Amino acid sequence: MIPEYLKRNLDLFRTGEYTIVSERDEVISIIEEESEGAATLRSKFEDEAVVFHFPEKRTLPYLDANKKACQCADKFIFIRHVNNEKWQLHILEFKKSIKYDKWKKIKNQFKYGVMNARALAAFLNMEIDGIVLETAYRNDWKLRNAPYSPTAMRAANSATEAAAYKEWKENIVILELDSKEISFFHEKIQLDIEGNGEKVFKLLAAR
């Protein structure tokens, strides 16, 4: 069960800010309304969870938008570990299409998403144990020169673009956090042409 102290803390939030998922077969729709990534993701959960619907609009008010610190991913999903009161944090971003410039923005949204989610978790007294980054998208990254090979990428594109595509291809995201580079597991969620998809959220093993 969701701890009582957490329910009391969540009760301080405005109506509609979050959804508590307590039933394994419960289906909720995670909706993104922004034109850049408008989508509906029908979601099930294997464990109890709390979904925050508007983190990109609720960043810390102290942050300077001119430094891009107000950029944030679209959704925060905290999934509870079965045997304790720790939570695995899933940070979800929606995009219509994936390409180099979009990936750079997504990484920034992930970075400040992690930082804002930590602040939210601290307020709620939720201990984060593991972070998973996720991108839901309609159109996959199309290379200017296919098929993909590291050698061809280095020859035809900048080194930074080649490194970015390698991240996408190999399901990792490297972010500079806490004064060091940290590698996170990245899960891709393919949507259909209309932006609809399905996903079962679950705890993932540490990588």
Side-chain angles (χ1 to χ4, degrees):
M1 293 178 59
I2 299 293
E4 286 300 319
Y5 73 84
L6 179 55
K7 291 181 181 178
R8 290 194 298 270
N9 289 345
L10 287 168
D11 193 50
L12 300 172
F13 285 62
R14 291 186 290 259
T15 301
E17 290 288 331
Y18 65 89
T19 298
I20 294 176
V21 181
S22 54
E23 299 294 334
R24 188 183 183 91
D25 295 329
E26 185 175 357
V27 178
I28 71 166
S29 291
I30 299 177
I31 298 172
E32 175 55 34
E33 297 179 346
E34 293 292 332
S35 58
E36 188 177 6
T40 299
L41 187 64
R42 282 176 49 86
S43 306
K44 289 186 178 181
F45 298 80
E46 291 192 353
D47 299 280
E48 293 178 319
V50 182
V51 181
F52 288 90
H53 298 291
F54 310 111
E56 82 283 7
K57 299 176 182 177
R58 308 286 190 261
T59 56
L60 291 169
Y62 324 104
L63 299 176
D64 187 344
N66 293 325
K67 298 176 181 177
K68 299 184 178 180
C70 291
Q71 292 185 0
C72 184
D74 293 317
K75 313 293 176 185
F76 295 161
I77 302 162
F78 292 88
I79 302 177
R80 189 183 181 200
H81 285 272
V82 177
N83 298 321
N84 56 49
E85 293 188 5
K86 296 181 181 180
W87 301 79
Q88 187 172 87
L89 170 62
H90 291 232
I91 297 180
L92 173 62
E93 175 62 24
F94 289 93
K95 282 287 185 287
K96 184 175 181 179
S97 300
I98 305 297
K99 49 188 177 180
Y100 178 49
D101 60 333
K102 299 292 185 185
W103 183 243
K104 289 193 295 182
K105 182 177 180 180
I106 289 169
K107 288 188 64 173
N108 205 58
Q109 290 171 305
F110 281 151
K111 175 178 178 176
Y112 291 108
V114 171
M115 297 172 74
N116 277 276
R118 286 173 172 176
L120 176 62
F123 178 83
L124 293 168
N125 195 25
M126 300 171 77
E127 183 178 350
I128 296 174
D129 183 17
I131 298 174
V132 177
L133 307 178
E134 294 162 326
T135 304
Y137 62 97
R138 302 187 201 182
N139 304 312
D140 204 348
W141 194 333
K142 290 187 172 67
L143 286 174
R144 289 177 287 167
N145 296 276
Y148 166 71
S149 79
T151 303
M153 280 290 293
R154 285 193 294 270
N157 307 279
S158 71
T160 53
E161 185 172 352
Y165 185 78
K166 184 174 186 289
E167 283 183 300
W168 175 258
K169 188 77 172 178
E170 297 182 359
N171 299 321
I172 60 169
V173 178
I174 300 172
L175 301 178
E176 186 177 336
L177 283 166
D178 307 327
S179 301
K180 59 185 176 182
E181 287 190 341
I182 302 176
S183 180
F184 295 91
F185 174 66
H186 177 247
E187 189 168 20
K188 299 192 282 277
I189 304 170
Q190 179 72 64
L191 305 174
D192 65 21
I193 194 170
E194 296 180 345
N196 299 312
E198 296 183 352
K199 166 71 176 172
V200 177
F201 287 93
K202 58 186 177 181
L203 293 166
L204 296 180
R207 294 180 179 231

